[in-house]
Structures are given as structure tokens and as C-alpha cells.
Amino acid sequence: MERVLAARPDAVAAPEPRSVGELADRLQRPASVALALPRLPLPCLQVAEAVAAVAPASRDEVAGLLDATQGERARGLATALEALADRALVWPGGDGRLQIAAPLRSAWSSPLGLDAPLARLLAGSSSDELARMAAKLGVKPAATRKEQRLAALVEHHSDPARLAALVATAPAATRKLLERRAQQAPQRSGFIMFGSPQADATPAEQWAVERGLLIRERYGYGPARMPAEVARALRGAHWHAPFTPVPPDVRTVPVTAAALEREAAAAAMAFVGHATAVLGTCAAAPLARLKAGGVGARELARLGKAAQCDELVVRLVVETAAAAGLLARDGDRVAATAAYDTWAAEEPAERLAVLLRSWWALPLTPGGSRDEDGKALPVLAATPPCAGCVQARHGLLTAAAQLPTGEGAANPADLGALLGWFRPLADELHQDATPFATLIREAELLGALALGAVSPLGAALSTGEGEGEGEADTEALGDACRRLLPAASGTARFGSDLTAVVAGTPSAHLHALLDCAADRESAGAASVWRFSPGSVRRALDAGLTPDALAADLAAVAVEPLPQPLSYLIHDTARGHGRVRVVAAACVIHGQEPALLAELAVHRKLAELGLRQLAPTVLISRTPPERTLAALRAAGYAPVAEEPDGTVRIERVRQHRAAGAVPSARRSGGGARSRRTGTRTVQAGTRTATTDAPVDLRALAARLRDAPQEVPGRPDPDDGRPYAGDTEEIIAGYARNLSATDVRQLAHAVDEKRAVTIEYVATSGNTTVRTLSRLDLDAPYLHAWCHLRDDERVFTLSRIHGVMPA
């Protein structure tokens, strides 16, 4: 309804129900209203909204509101009122005034963008509040009772001319406020408070509230509300409620019955061919489901590539097939069911009828591939049922059936506007550039629409009960499918270019045979397969012999098989199986054939799964270690081989724990035990003891032969090789530092003092940096670099000099 209201520049848009689902929720699904209202055309909904805005009102009042007092608009009003009365939605009462069903009235919170009338807004006011309002207006009630005062105010506001004159005397700010509010839909909140304006109300609003042109909410909640009489008076005499009694014009072209059937049959045959290919691919390789549910774009692209069709066709086939029970969820996949095998063996007409019935009742639009944010939508995602999508599908054929006999829409997109008139509550897709473009394309792919008109298939779908809104007539649909679609083709024409062409829809046997031995290149009204060495090899791998394959192809060929195809089959067969591959966990070989023959038949070794490939070669299904153990348990003495053929030496490996690594001293330095042959290293709260047995003779010889000065090692004068663990660790990694530099850097680390270093970066550049807050984590030194003014990590081996900071 929002789409229709926006078509009139003088219409006032309101947040009203825009789909069947939203409307049914608003009505809480009363049977008579929720079922009838979605099927009503636009004029009926417009008349019902007008009656809801002014009821109870006479027919002449409604006609004046809709500007339907004469001519074609008057006839349209009469037709709409008659349709509403037939459904017990709007009817004339005993006094001739139009009444509306309460559930239908509740469908609009603000019909035509109008709030409640003045009498309803003032129903809870006190007599004193009404007296003050009447005094401001200069109204003198017949009596001082509340009822007489309210009646006098209502009579005053019922005269548009009097209200216009009153507003003309208002301050400029008040007039601007009232004119703006008259064009807006009301906002509801809380209860109503009458007479006394809020203390914080603007002067412009207060002037209107004191005179009943605006009514304040009780307790001051929410904006002031404008009575319906005031809003209509301010909109002016030229304003009328939206009313479109005539459907939009659709430019048509002549369409003969023969051309219509021919076009529908071609589309239906192509769709059955695509559906057979898509579902055949699903049967061979089930579809992977997304973690969030449904089948994603990647799987759809794989299906489209394998079946040679676009994404819309794939989505249409998968959704309709799943609804028909041909596909079903199987864990984290979607696989074909047993019903698919029955469906694939039937004639094309029966296959199409199954998918058409499924599409007709499908509670969604399968071609919807994008959401309102443009993101891709998966198929089979278990979306909530969409009644508006069903109404759109049914309304499309209903709208197209209204075209003159023998004519079709010159531009099928024009049918979308016509559908919007016949089913204004139908749901559209966000992705459509023109109204209902995806739905129209689906109907054309299925053959329900052809050349802009309803085909015999579409007419059979619409012949169900309930004015075309119920289930499709199974018998009528089956007859139409059988009349338009020929029987499945069981023969193919084989060409010398190694192709096979099937006119129409191939039978299940022919389809399986060609898929086994050739690669499909196209599908549709005519399907094409191409043979290649790889495809023929695939058939031979499936167990066919070359003679059997040639015989099977010759049995379905219209003419004798071309010589190139026969040569291809036998040439491929000559090289097929010359090399064989067998699964084996390990290989057993030896020099004595008799011994290996004995192993192959040994009863205790049967569990190994031994098989003799040659007199001196056995293969085993059991891994090498278990095979060796079994052979040794049986009394044999096998040896294991390395991959290069050498004998593998089997030594018993002895497990040893890794020695402790000295770590940097965090505080207090380290301590060395005085026990002989044992050194204890303290790191924080951890203590590691390392056994270090010493060969005194070897140590003496090494010290004797060592050079007098060792670069990078300190020359201790305290009787110990290093002054501490930190010094020992730095000396082990900082090979470019002298003994003095090592000792100076270790002292800076232990005492937390700043130091200046000469550092060579990985790029080769040498820099001099002053460091503080040193933290040793060999082979790295973490420190605050004053050159970069940041925390940096330095590699000890790249430090070439140390100086005091």
C-alpha cells in the first residue's frame, strides 16, 4: 500500500501494512478477513481505507472523499463496495451509512494519515475543560452539561469553512505548525490530556491546543494529536484520498495460440533439461551446507557450471525440488532422495508437472538472491514462510489473464505494474529493478508465461479452487504438460566431430549412458555431449568393455556410429589398464620365491592381507611395523629397508632428559655451588642443577694447547671463568665483543644501568644507541632505545661495542 500511496502527489503516506504477513499479524488472523483481504485488488483496499477513516459515513461522503462521484470512478467505487460487501468487510447499515468490520478497521492505525475524530479524542475530557475550549472558540452550547458542550465543539469542527477561517486568524507560527501536521501521519503514545496545555508547550502549539485544533496527550506524553476533521479541513477541498479504479495500461501485441504453445513448450523443455542436469549433479555429488544453514554461492556456481545454466535456474530447480521431496538435508550436506530416482525415470511431462506444482505452492520466491543490503542469500536456508510471495505468484497469472484474448504484453515488465494493482499486498524482492522482475522471469522459465501472456501451463495452474488461489489442478496440469512436452527421447545423433546431440529431453537411460561416456556441453531444448579420451576412459573405469560401450551407443544411435568415435573407443581401450595401481601399506620382497609363496599362504599371517604380485614380491595391507612384528612372531627373521633400499639399522633408543640452559639473572646475580662437578644456576625462583663430569687430563691438555688470549672471552682475575651467569650468557652469544665489553654489558644488565652500544642492523647500517631498562632474554636484549624513543629488541650477536652511557 505504501507503493500506491506514493503514486499520488497529494496522498499522505502512513506506516500501514505492506504485505500479507504484516497484515495478518495486525489482524491476528481472523479467518474471514485474513483470507479475503490479500486477494482484493487495489481499489477495494483504497475504498476500505477511506471507509475506515470516516466510518460511519454515507456512501456520498465516501464518494466525495475519493472523488468518485461520476463517470468511471463512480463505477469503480460501486464495484469495490460490492466486492467488499460480498466478503462481509464493508456494508451499508440500517440508516444507509457504511459500516466496516472491526478486524479490518484495526488493519490501519491511521487510515489516510488521519487521526481519530474530535468526538473520540475529547471523550475523556471534563466538562470544565470543554467549557474553556468553547469559550476560546466563541461557541455557546445549548446547555452546560458535558454532552451538550462536546456536541457543540464537534459541530463547530465539522464545518471546514469555519475551521479555515479560524486557522486564518492564528499566528503565523501556529499556521505553519498546523499545515505541517495536517500532512503527517499521527504519532500515538499514552493517554490524552484535554484542555490544559503543557507548561513547556510552545506558544504556537498552545494557541492550537486551547482551541481544540490540537489535543495534548494525557500526562504530557508524546506530541499533540490533530483531530481528523481539522486535518481534512487544512488539506483543502481539492484533496482526495487515493483511488485508482482502473488498472494501469499495458501495451499489448497480437499472440496466436500456436505461437504461445510453441514458446511455452520450448521454455518448459529447456527447464526440464536443466532440472535433470542440476539434480543429476546433486545425486552424483551432494551439496555442502553452510555452517549458518543453506547452500551457498560456491556450491550454486559449481552446479551451474556442471549443468551449463545460470544461477537463477539453479536456485529455481533446487528450491522446487526440495519442496517436492527430491532433495533433502543429510547431515551437513543436501543429497538426492529415493523420490529423485523415481522422478528421473519418468517422462518429461511428469517431471515438469512435479516441479510446477511445487513452485505454485512454494512459500518464497526462489530467485531471490540478494537481501536488502545486497548480500548474497543461500538457498534452502529455512526462511520463514512468506504468504506475500505466494500471493505475488498467484496474482501474476491472475493479472496476465486479464489481458485481451489473443494478446500479450509487449514488454513483460509491464506485468509487474499490473500485478501491483491486482495484488497490492504482494511482496516484492529488493533486488528487482522493475516490479516483480524476478518472479516474471521464473514464470517464463517454467513456461507458465510466454510472449507476455498466460500459457496453457499457467492456465492449468490457475484452475484450482478459490479463484485461482488454491492448489493447482493436478489432472489439468498433467494434461497440459503431456500435450506440450513430447515423450523423452531415447535416441541420439552421433557426429564425426565426436558429439552426440539429443533433441528434446533425453530418457533416463540415455542420459545416464551419455553422462558416463561423454562430457555434457549444453542442455535445454537440445542437449549436446562430447566424447574425449578422458570421458571414454571414465566409462571403461566404470566397468564397461570397449565392445559393450560401442554396442550400447549403437543401440541408441539414429545412424551407425561414426568411424572416429569407434576408433576413439578402441584406441583408448588399448592403453586402458596397462598400468595398475593397488593400495598397499608395505611391500615384502626377497630372493627366494618359495619362501615368499610360503608367507602368502601362511595361516598365522592371514590377518596381514598378503597378496603375491610377483614370485619375489608381496604386498601387505598392514603397516610396516605391525608386519615386521607378525613375521617375527611367526618365526621368520625379516629386516626393514630404508626408502633408498638400504637396510634400516634398528637400535634401541635411550630416552634422556634435556640439560638445563643457563638463563639471565634477574636480580641478585647467580650463585655457584662449591660441590665438585656440579653447578647450580639461579633464575628468579627456579634452581637448576646440572651434572658436569670433568676429565682432568683432557682439560689440562686443552688448557695447555689453547692460545694465550681468546677473543671475546674475559680474562678473570678472581679465580672464576666468569663473574656471573649474565656474563657467561652474554659471552656465549655476543661473539663480536671483547672480554671487557662483555663484562661491562653484563654489569649494566645486572645493575639496571644505562649503557651505550655500537649496533649493526640487519640492513648493514651501524648506529650508536644509548639503552636503559635492560632486560636480557638470550639471544636478545630488550631495552628502551633513547635514539628511537621506544622499546626495542637487539640481537646480542649484532652488538660490536659497549661504552658507558
Side-chain angles (χ1 to χ4, degrees), residues 145 439 538 558 713 730:
R145 297 181 59 185
L439 176 61
R538 187 171 67 238
V558 176
R713 295 291 182 182
I730 293 177

Side-chain angles (χ1 to χ4, degrees), residues 5 7-12 183 235 238-242:
L5 291 176
R8 288 283 301 272
D10 55 344
V12 179
Q183 302 300 324
R235 291 178 185 180
H238 66 282
W239 178 83
H240 298 285

Side-chain angles (χ1 to χ4, degrees), residues 241-267:
F243 186 53
T244 312
V246 180
D249 291 334
V250 176
R251 188 169 61 88
T252 61
V253 293
V255 175
T256 63
L260 181 61
E261 291 188 1
R262 185 167 57 251
E263 186 70 18

Side-chain angles (χ1 to χ4, degrees), residues 416-461:
L418 193 62
L419 168 57
W421 189 89
F422 277 97
R423 294 293 185 273
L425 294 178
D427 282 359
E428 292 186 52
L429 298 180
H430 297 283
Q431 67 190 38
D432 289 342
T434 58
F436 303 101
T438 302
L439 176 61
I440 294 172
R441 181 58 183 152
E442 289 180 7
E444 291 175 336
L445 289 172
L446 288 162
L449 283 180
L451 302 177
V454 179
S455 72
L457 296 176
L461 284 173

Side-chain angles (χ1 to χ4, degrees), residues 127-128 130-131 134 139-153 155:
S127 181
D128 292 340
L130 298 179
V139 175
K140 296 182 179 180
T144 59
R145 297 181 59 185
K146 174 181 175 180
E147 290 77 9
Q148 282 77 13
R149 288 172 175 170
L150 179 59
L153 291 173
E155 181 183 1

Side-chain angles (χ1 to χ4, degrees), residues 439-503:
L439 176 61
I440 294 172
R441 181 58 183 152
E442 289 180 7
E444 291 175 336
L445 289 172
L446 288 162
L449 283 180
L451 302 177
V454 179
S455 72
L457 296 176
L461 284 173
S462 305
T463 55
E465 297 180 356
E467 301 178 3
E469 306 295 344
E471 296 183 357
D473 188 331
T474 302
E475 184 176 355
L477 181 60
D479 292 341
C481 291
R482 285 187 289 272
R483 182 163 57 88
L484 292 184
L485 271 67
S489 177
T491 59
R493 292 186 177 275
F494 296 90
S496 58
D497 59 348
L498 301 180
T499 59
V501 180
V502 179

